[in-house]
């Protein structure tokens, strides 16, 4: 199985601060990488797919980058509604695997 | 508009079989490229992909569940199903169904909580 190592496990950001979350795959995944946001008590929602493509309706302050084994999610200007858990997921090979998640809180 | 909704027993005892139903709208499992996937999440923990079924009846399973999973579909009624045999407390989780599109999961259901307890 492809292991997805996500970091950090948690972080706290001030309003307007730029934050980054990273995922490291145990082998190359050819940009088959998605990012999801999960707010408390809700189901996950797709933010980014194909490593860098923004899902329709997602604010442009969210962006994704990376290649090979290293990928990142950036939030340019933390907003109160961004407080949530974030997960990466590889779909390059079965079984599809998720990162362990990052808990983002507003400072 | 794509929607998905899970249903299940709520609570069941160890060694029983868990049967879950995903009822969806806004797409068809008879359409080329369409699929339904199942993912679960224990309370306060991460996401675990379980299985996908595709329009052509192709099926993929997470091998970590060691042949306990069976995914199926009823195309006419826009439903997909997941069975997990021989459950134990480690199967306690919220179970989601979602639409996989080129690997990514673009629409998710609200989830159904399942508790395994004696």
């Amino acid at each position: 199985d492809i292991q997805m190592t996500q970091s950090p496990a948690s972080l706290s950001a001030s309003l307007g601060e730029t934050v980054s979350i990273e995922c490291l795959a145990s082998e190359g995944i050819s940009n088959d990488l998605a990012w999801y946001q999960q707010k408390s008590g809700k189901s996950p929602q797709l933010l980014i797919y194909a490593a860098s493509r923004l899902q329709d309706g997602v604010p442009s302050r969210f962006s994704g980058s990376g290649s090979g084994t290293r990928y990142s999610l950036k939030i340019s200007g933390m907003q109160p509604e961004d407080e949530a858990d974030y997960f990466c997921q590889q779909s390059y090979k079965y079984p599809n695997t998720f990162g362990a998640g990052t808990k983002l809180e507003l400072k | 508009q794509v929607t998905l909704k899970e249903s299940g027993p709520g609570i069941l005892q160890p060694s029983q079989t868990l049967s879950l139903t995903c009822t969806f709208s806004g797409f068809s499992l008879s359409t080329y490229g369409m699929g339904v996937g199942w993912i679960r999440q224990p309370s306060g923990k991460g996401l675990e992909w379980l299985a996908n079924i595709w329009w052509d009846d192709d099926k993929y399973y997470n091998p970590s569940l060691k042949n306990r999973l069976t995914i199926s579909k009823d195309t006419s009624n826009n439903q997909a199903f997941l069975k997990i045999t021989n459950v134990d407390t480690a199967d306690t989780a919220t179970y989601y169904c979602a639409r996989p599109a080129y690997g990514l999961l673009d629409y998710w259901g609200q989830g159904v909580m399942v508790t395994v307890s004696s």
Side-chain angles (χ1 to χ4, degrees):
Chain A
D1 299 3
I2 296 176
Q3 306 303 315
M4 301 300 294
T5 303
Q6 187 172 340
S7 62
S10 65
L11 76 159
S12 183
S14 302
L15 198 63
E17 185 178 346
T18 294
V19 300
S20 286
I21 299 168
E22 296 197 343
C23 264
L24 177 65
S26 59
E27 62 183 85
I29 57 172
S30 194
N31 288 6
D32 288 336
L33 189 284
W35 291 96
Y36 301 89
Q37 177 192 65
Q38 185 178 31
K39 296 185 178 179
S40 181
K42 302 293 187 182
S43 52
Q45 289 199 318
L46 178 66
L47 295 175
I48 301 281
Y49 63 97
S52 61
R53 299 192 176 206
L54 200 64
Q55 175 70 346
D56 290 346
V58 174
S60 59
R61 63 180 179 275
F62 290 91
S63 63
S65 64
S67 63
T69 62
R70 291 185 175 274
Y71 298 87
S72 62
L73 172 72
K74 185 166 75 172
I75 307 172
S76 299
M78 174 76 178
Q79 298 299 308
E81 60 267 31
D82 299 336
E83 197 169 67
D85 294 329
Y86 292 84
F87 297 91
C88 62
Q89 177 225 348
Q90 68 80 20
S91 56
Y92 182 67
K93 280 185 184 178
Y94 283 112
N96 294 167
T97 45
F98 291 88
T102 295
K103 188 174 193 65
L104 175 60
E105 294 178 328
L106 184 64
K107 199 180 292 182
Chain B
Q1 180 189 2
V2 173
T3 65
L4 303 98
K5 187 173 184 179
E6 308 85 350
S7 57
I11 187 164
L12 67 167
Q13 295 185 337
S15 81
Q16 290 186 320
T17 295
L18 170 61
S19 295
L20 298 166
T21 299
C22 176
T23 303
F24 56 88
S25 63
F27 69 100
S28 173
L29 273 177
S30 62
T31 300
Y32 178 91
M34 290 294 108
V36 169
W38 288 94
I39 306 96
R40 70 181 180 181
Q41 184 176 37
S43 181
K45 297 191 177 181
L47 298 162
E48 179 181 30
W49 173 79
L50 299 176
N52 283 357
I53 189 166
W54 297 97
W55 83 101
D56 59 357
D57 211 36
D58 216 359
K59 300 166 188 172
Y60 295 87
Y61 296 103
N62 192 326
S64 71
L65 274 83
K66 295 178 184 175
N67 301 320
R68 296 171 53 215
L69 300 177
T70 303
I71 193 169
S72 59
K73 61 183 171 69
D74 179 349
T75 302
S76 300
N77 289 307
N78 284 346
Q79 291 181 316
F81 311 98
L82 184 71
K83 290 188 189 297
I84 306 179
T85 60
N86 193 27
V87 297
D88 68 11
T89 54
D91 296 307
T92 294
T94 295
Y95 286 78
Y96 297 99
C97 63
R99 189 180 77 165
Y102 305 100
L104 57 95
L105 300 161
D106 61 353
Y107 291 92
W108 294 64
Q110 64 189 27
V112 61
M113 287 186 61
V114 174
T115 301
V116 179
S117 174
S118 55

